[in-house]
Amino acid sequence: MTVKDYLLERMAGGTIHMTLVDPDKQAPELAAEVAANAERMGTDAIMIGGSTDVNQMNLDETAAAIKKAVQIPVIYFPSGAHAISRHCDALYFMSMLNSRDVRMVIKEQAMAAPVVKKLGLEPVSMGYILVEPGMKAGEVGQADLVKRDDPMAALGYALAAEYLGMDFVYLEAGSGADQPVPPEMISTVKSVLSVPLIVGGGIRDPETALAAKRAGADAVVTGTLVEKDGYHQELESVIAAIRS
Ligand code: 1GP
């Protein structure tokens, strides 16, 4: 089964959870341990990525270690064409739709595409939309951030992604954001969108995760949560809220 079909099948059963691991934040062995713990707690897929300091070496080592430790799909969440790993099952082939930099919209993708083909990696197409505060991803990607009180702007980008043939839409508040994507924005986008909606950035507790789910998110991504010691209970409660 392709990773895309796996995600669609899981999402048909309700909101799913994905755990994001940044290869720059810990040694590969620890990343593998985090991924295995998350899998045991019920996360549906592992995403690997970070806005800065991901390179071919830390990506390859982390992806290989995680791949050995889990059965669920391992998906690369790239920030550019500078590093691509054959150890992942798939990669989000994504365009930052509201970037002012054409490099983030299509040029990095044009550089990456032949490499993806050569490695035989599954590309999972995705429209990526940065919402305030956007954090590092918004800064590095030169995003023209969607304002938190402007759900119609998010709707426009999301529907454009669908009409361009993208399989998933990702609303991103940025890793470590102090405020997540507003639930009203999620529900506004969801009310018109026919492809699955992924939401992430600033989700660290079960209440926030549940609010994203209730607003209509098909997938909730958490990353920062697993970067501190003693994350087990929090991660477990976030996953439980999403599966409730
Ligand atoms: C970042 O949406 C993800 O791309 C996860 O964000 O690190 O804030 O959980 P957090």
Side-chain angles (χ1 to χ4, degrees):
M1 187 192 273
T2 62
V3 170
K4 174 185 159 184
D5 286 345
Y6 165 85
L7 293 174
L8 292 176
E9 191 180 288
R10 300 292 298 174
M11 288 169 178
T15 307
I16 70 165
H17 176 265
M18 294 190 276
T19 301
L20 174 65
V21 179
D22 185 339
D24 179 48
K25 296 284 166 65
Q26 68 286 293
E29 301 72 39
L30 187 55
E33 193 186 306
V34 167
N37 284 335
E39 178 179 47
R40 204 162 38 245
M41 291 175 195
T43 200
D44 295 282
I46 304 296
M47 290 165 48
I48 304 179
S51 302
T52 52
D53 302 317
V54 174
N55 56 51
Q56 193 63 50
M57 194 191 276
N58 64 17
L59 174 64
D60 269 333
E61 289 178 357
T62 300
I66 290 179
K67 190 65 198 137
K68 258 193 250 159
V70 301
Q71 304 291 318
I72 50 177
V74 178
I75 308 169
Y76 181 37
F77 183 47
S79 55
H82 59 281
I84 299 174
S85 180
R86 64 190 166 87
H87 298 292
C88 296
D89 297 304
L91 87 165
Y92 287 128
F93 204 83
M94 52 201 258
S95 171
M96 189 185 286
L97 300 175
N98 56 333
S99 173
R100 287 185 299 267
D101 184 356
V102 72
R103 203 173 56 79
M104 300 306 286
V105 181
I106 193 62
K107 289 204 160 206
E108 290 287 329
Q109 295 78 349
M111 280 191 278
V115 182
V116 171
K117 182 80 181 172
K118 190 164 178 201
L119 295 178
L121 274 173
E122 179 190 338
V124 177
S125 75
M126 181 201 281
Y128 190 50
I129 304 162
L130 269 289
V131 178
E132 287 178 333
M135 310 304 285
K136 253 300 181 260
E139 201 182 299
V140 175
Q142 294 188 42
D144 185 13
L145 298 173
V146 171
K147 295 195 172 12
R148 289 177 51 78
D149 63 358
D150 191 2
M152 291 308 287
L155 181 151
Y157 282 117
L159 207 49
E162 178 182 327
Y163 291 167
L164 283 165
M166 292 169 173
D167 290 320
F168 296 89
V169 168
Y170 193 130
L171 285 180
E172 170 74 271
S175 186
D178 57 353
Q179 287 181 299
V181 175
E184 315 76 65
M185 187 178 284
I186 298 172
S187 54
T188 300
V189 169
K190 189 60 191 171
S191 70
V192 299
L193 202 64
S194 304
V195 298
L197 180 60
I198 302 170
V199 176
I203 300 172
R204 287 181 286 271
D205 57 68
E207 294 75 25
T208 314
L210 193 57
K213 172 192 161 119
R214 289 200 173 133
D218 295 289
V220 171
V221 179
T222 62
T224 305
L225 188 58
V226 295
E227 284 170 16
K228 49 178 186 167
D229 293 336
Y231 62 83
H232 296 78
Q233 210 180 335
E234 276 157 311
L235 182 60
E236 207 154 25
S237 61
V238 162
I239 294 174
I242 290 165
R243 300 196 141 207
S244 63

